[in-house]
Amino acid sequence: MTIAKNSKMMGLLNYRLRLTLADGRAMAGHMLAFDKHMNLVLSECEEFRSVKPKAQGAKASLIKRTLGLVILRGECIVSISVDGPPPSSAAASRQAKMALTAGPGVARPAGRGIPVPPPGVPPPGLAGPVRGMGGPAVAAGPITFPRPPPPPMAGAPPPGFRPPMPPPGFRPPMPPPGMGPQGFAPPGFQPPYSGPRPPPS
């Protein structure tokens, strides 16, 4: 269902309305806005719902809950009725707006103290870096940055790295059978000859 802007709903703005919803609840609040799909914005909204007691023969009780600002979907609304006039402050402000007439003044944009540059000239502050304000001086050369340190070699520990110490009481592993302790040549090993070499023939 769609409604036009010039419908009776325009006359109900700020009125206190009571709405019945499809699930049986009732809402009451001041209508602030609506749209063509009948979606409503209600302020100071209250919800009323009747709860049937478990005991047979007892009357249903009406529970009231304050919700505040609510947006209601138009599909959920079954009926609308006027519950009260708009607040006096809203009615007075609406009448004051309608009573205002145009004065003799002329509207002009305010410059806020910043001079307006002529066409083709960038405004101050957008022309580029200013000396001493974060940018390089106008006469300065190109900006150079220091060269980053070379990356560490693959497999090498980073600078300042200390290998972990073995825990207290740790014994190094024993060498395999037939091998001497670490740092000593295995049995039967002949070191290379380092004496004088015979002349070539």
Side-chain angles (χ1 to χ4, degrees):
M1 176 179 84
T2 60
I3 57 175
K5 286 282 186 183
N6 57 359
S7 66
K8 291 182 180 179
M9 294 296 291
M10 287 295 289
L12 295 178
L13 284 175
N14 292 319
Y15 273 76
R16 185 164 179 85
L17 303 180
R18 181 172 290 271
L19 308 146
T20 305
L21 304 184
D23 60 0
R25 290 179 296 164
M27 299 273 195
H30 296 281
M31 183 178 70
L32 299 182
F34 68 96
D35 65 359
K36 64 180 183 176
H37 303 292
M38 204 61 180
N39 300 322
L40 300 181
V41 179
L42 300 176
S43 68
E44 302 173 15
C45 186
E46 296 171 333
E47 176 195 62
F48 302 93
R49 59 190 174 101
S50 60
V51 178
K52 295 178 182 177
K54 293 181 180 178
Q56 291 183 353
K59 292 184 178 180
S61 60
L62 190 68
I63 296 178
K64 174 184 166 184
R65 187 169 63 147
T66 304
L67 300 177
L69 189 67
V70 171
I71 299 175
L72 274 177
R73 191 172 172 88
E75 290 179 345
C76 305
I77 300 171
V78 174
S79 69
I80 299 176
S81 61
V82 177
D83 200 29
S88 58
S89 60
S93 65
R94 184 188 295 173
Q95 289 176 358
K97 284 180 184 176
M98 295 173 81
L100 290 177
T101 57
V106 178
R108 291 188 182 140
R112 298 186 183 172
I114 301 173
V116 179
V121 178
L126 298 178
V130 180
R131 185 184 190 107
M133 294 296 291
V138 177
I143 301 172
T144 58
F145 296 99
R147 175 172 266 175
M153 297 287 289
F161 175 77
R162 294 177 58 191
M165 298 295 291
F170 175 75
R171 293 177 54 192
M174 297 296 292
M179 297 278 298
Q182 193 171 9
F184 293 95
F189 176 74
Q190 294 289 328
Y193 178 72
S194 60
R197 295 179 182 252
S201 55

